[in-house]
Amino acid sequence: MKKDVIITIRGLQFVQSDEEMEPVEVVTPGEYYKKNGQHYLLFEESMEGFGETTHNVMKFREDHLEVRKKGLVNVHMIFEENKKTLSYYQTPFGIMNMGIAATNIQMQEQQDNIDVRVDYALNLNENYVADCTIFMNVKSRDSGEFSLES
């Protein structure tokens, strides 16, 4: 995998009360590297209406995903199969206590492509919110399979 990548992150949130799925998708350029058997992604994220950005660092392997956000949004989330983790999610709108209980983590790695899927239960301020799924795809920017124009 090359250093310059295109990162696609899609999330599906299943809300228990009305069985609705709320999809969210982010496609962004980023940097990739692998060190000591772990994959790393670095990218910037902006929120509409705010000038400040958020710096993201994602570290993952077959059974573990760690997400650190610093800037406009601050959080350190850990997704580890069959474990519950707690963190504080700081946004411009306030701070929430967030619990994550990952139930399934899958990763498929090819030469210029990595796919990751994480299924988890989400709690906010000690209340169950939803069962969620994150789908992440990382492709070398020059793989020819994707362009920022599409």
Side-chain angles (χ1 to χ4, degrees), residues 30-96:
E31 294 180 18
Y32 166 85
Y33 66 93
K34 188 173 183 179
K35 182 178 178 181
N36 297 327
Q38 298 213 79
H39 303 269
Y40 291 84
L41 295 173
L42 309 168
F43 62 97
E44 298 295 321
E45 184 179 17
S46 57
M47 187 182 288
E48 193 173 324
F50 294 91
E52 187 180 355
T53 60
T54 300
H55 179 71
N56 291 270
V57 177
M58 299 178 87
K59 178 170 66 169
F60 59 95
R61 57 182 188 268
E62 283 188 24
D63 61 348
H64 183 94
L65 169 65
E66 188 173 337
V67 178
R68 288 182 186 261
K69 294 176 175 272
K70 290 186 180 178
L72 183 63
V73 173
N74 292 288
V75 69
H76 179 200
M77 297 180 283
I78 298 174
F79 300 83
E80 197 165 359
E81 258 185 48
N82 303 313
K83 289 190 179 179
K84 184 174 181 179
T85 60
L86 299 172
S87 61
Y88 291 101
Y89 196 89
Q90 181 182 352
T91 73
F93 309 107
I95 298 175
M96 294 176 279

